Amino acid sequence: MSSAVISLKKIEDNNLPRVVDLSTLDPANCPVRDVLQQIGGKWAPLMLDALAQKPYRFGELRRAIPDISQRMLTQTLRDLQREGYIDRQVFPTNPPSVEYRLTELGRSLYATLALLLNWAEANQSAVRAARYRFDAQA
Amino acid sequence: MSSAVISLKKIEDNNLPRVVDLSTLDPANCPVRDVLQQIGGKWAPLMLDALAQKPYRFGELRRAIPDISQRMLTQTLRDLQREGYIDRQVFPTNPPSVEYRLTELGRSLYATLALLLNWAEANQSAVRAARYRFDAQA
DNA sequence: CGGGATCCAATTCGATACTG
DNA sequence: CAGTATCGAATTGGATCCCG
């Protein structure tokens, strides 16, 4: 089939979707760097993933990600709120209760981010195998 | 239109695609953390994006990302090679020439990663606005 | 319960100098 | 050209103590 040949050729040519041309951008004002820096940290993807399921309270979120320190939980929550990905709602009960949930922007981000999370899960074994080969030959 | 109502309800319910359930995983063996750590760095996404266009030689790649140090270029290239995303080919010319190109795994990753890069570019202004609001109110 | 503040350890990163 | 090696700065992250 000619279509198979065509798609094979596309792969050989590295013909991949690429909308932004990063090479023509000022590095100091690159939107990809600007936005990716915040979602590329150690905890942000996990927290966005948790909050994509349902709203969480502080302690609840801490139990959902057992090995996060309280400092990083607080800080990452504030960062995500500043970026506009999550919303913080305080209930003046006693003791106080605070709920975090994704904003619409956050849900938009997660819709794309989730594809990457799924890719990671689906291809972990391939990555592990590549690491093993690399380390063996070295 | 009822379809609009339905999709609105889905958004309100946080009904988003989620294949991996991270909360049930051992944090120390989480595929998402394992894989995302390498592609979440400061330089890896930019280099994958460059190499998705075409193969690059060392110095050429350095010029394409003007503000990367040679140390980080070397190190990130090795990391990406170890993960199985890029291939390194040495041409025994004089002076030597080394070419880097995406592997099939790397192209598979980039197909997903590019969606996130596009999201970042498309939504940078919304993120900037959110930051401004957050900083103004604080 | 939901944090703030402080101190310290680990990791990341950049600048510089040197090499086949 | 394509790296390696070393140093120090900067950033990130964890532990601990404190509070309303």
Side-chain angles (χ1 to χ4, degrees), chain B residues 1-13:
Chain B
M1 290 79 118
S2 60
S3 66
V5 173
I6 288 174
S7 78
L8 203 63
K9 185 173 188 329
K10 280 188 177 179
I11 288 177
E12 283 166 0
D13 289 349

Side-chain angles (χ1 to χ4, degrees), chain A residues 10-11 14-17 115-124 126-127, chain B residues 35 39 48 51-52 83-86 101-116:
Chain A
K10 280 188 176 180
I11 288 177
N14 277 316
N15 194 349
L16 291 173
L115 300 176
L116 193 60
L117 303 186
N118 291 339
W119 189 93
E121 200 260 353
N123 294 276
Q124 185 194 26
V127 172
Chain B
V35 174
I39 63 185
L48 289 171
L51 292 169
E83 300 288 293
Y85 301 146
I86 67 177
R101 64 175 68 229
L102 289 191
T103 61
E104 209 164 318
L105 186 66
R107 285 192 288 271
S108 165
L109 167 62
Y110 184 75
T112 301
L113 180 62
L115 300 177
L116 193 61

Side-chain angles (χ1 to χ4, degrees), chain A:
Chain A
M1 287 88 110
S2 60
S3 67
V5 173
I6 289 175
S7 79
L8 202 63
K9 186 176 190 329
K10 280 188 176 180
I11 288 177
E12 282 168 0
D13 289 349
N14 277 316
N15 194 349
L16 291 173
R18 185 168 196 277
V19 173
V20 196
D21 183 3
L22 301 181
S23 61
T24 66
L25 292 173
D26 173 19
N29 193 22
C30 169
V32 168
R33 301 192 193 198
D34 186 28
V35 174
L36 254 68
Q37 178 142 12
Q38 301 298 329
I39 63 184
K42 183 174 178 179
W43 302 111
L46 299 176
M47 289 173 50
L48 289 172
D49 184 78
L51 291 170
Q53 286 181 90
K54 70 177 189 70
Y56 271 87
R57 290 183 35 205
F58 188 88
E60 194 183 7
L61 197 49
R62 190 174 184 179
R63 285 186 295 276
I65 308 176
D67 56 340
I68 195 172
S69 69
Q70 174 225 52
R71 170 176 151 73
M72 290 314 295
L73 181 58
T74 302
Q75 183 176 309
T76 307
L77 282 171
R78 231 188 309 105
D79 290 346
L80 294 179
Q81 187 191 355
R82 180 169 186 265
E83 300 288 293
Y85 301 145
I86 67 177
D87 222 33
R88 177 179 188 268
Q89 191 174 0
V90 182
F91 298 97
T93 55
N94 193 324
S97 136
V98 181
E99 193 176 84
Y100 297 91
R101 66 175 67 229
L102 288 191
T103 61
E104 209 164 316
L105 186 65
R107 283 191 288 272
S108 165
L109 167 62
Y110 184 75
T112 300
L113 180 62
L115 300 176
L116 193 60
L117 303 186
N118 291 339
W119 189 93
E121 200 260 353
N123 294 276
Q124 185 194 26
S125 61
V127 172
R128 279 203 195 288
R131 285 178 197 154
Y132 188 80
R133 280 194 302 274
F134 184 89
D135 294 343
Q137 149 269 346

